Amino acid sequence: MLSSAVAWAETVRDPTRPPAAVEPVRAAPQPPARNYILQSTRVSEERRSAVINGRVVVEGDQIGGARVLGIEQARVRLRDARGEFSLALAVPKVTRPAQAREYEYLETTSTEASQ
């Protein structure tokens, strides 16, 4: 009977004992971030160009591992190892037309200036 109690005790796991060495779960490697800033575009009949990260590019150029596919008025399409993506200019949305402001000019008098 004593041997069966010992056998049972060996099969019961001690809840305070740390788990056996388990390999930590590693996160999948993240692809490098796309750090592109579209600063301006120029679209004319003769030429389409854009400024990305301070560099002037035209369709077909490579910049930072991405190829410039197309340049539009406020958008540039690129393709890198992860696929196709677009950059857009940050164009403020105008919800109402600007209104002229009237400024009042106050007359200043100075006793020092007149002397």
Side-chain angles (χ1 to χ4, degrees), residues 74-114:
R75 186 176 90 122
V76 174
R77 289 181 302 110
L78 300 119
R79 180 184 306 129
D80 65 6
R82 295 188 309 184
E84 193 173 311
F85 62 101
S86 293
L87 302 176
L89 283 175
V91 179
K93 183 177 179 182
V94 177
T95 57
R96 61 187 174 111
Q99 296 178 359
R101 293 186 179 181
E102 294 181 21
Y103 294 95
E104 292 183 31
Y105 294 95
L106 301 176
E107 287 189 38
T108 57
T109 57
S110 172
T111 54
E112 295 174 8
S114 60

Side-chain angles (χ1 to χ4, degrees), residues 38 40-44 48 71-76 89 91:
L38 177 60
S40 68
T41 59
R42 181 177 180 184
V43 177
S44 68
R48 293 173 177 257
I71 298 173
E72 299 170 17
Q73 197 75 2
R75 186 176 90 122
V76 174
L89 283 175
V91 179

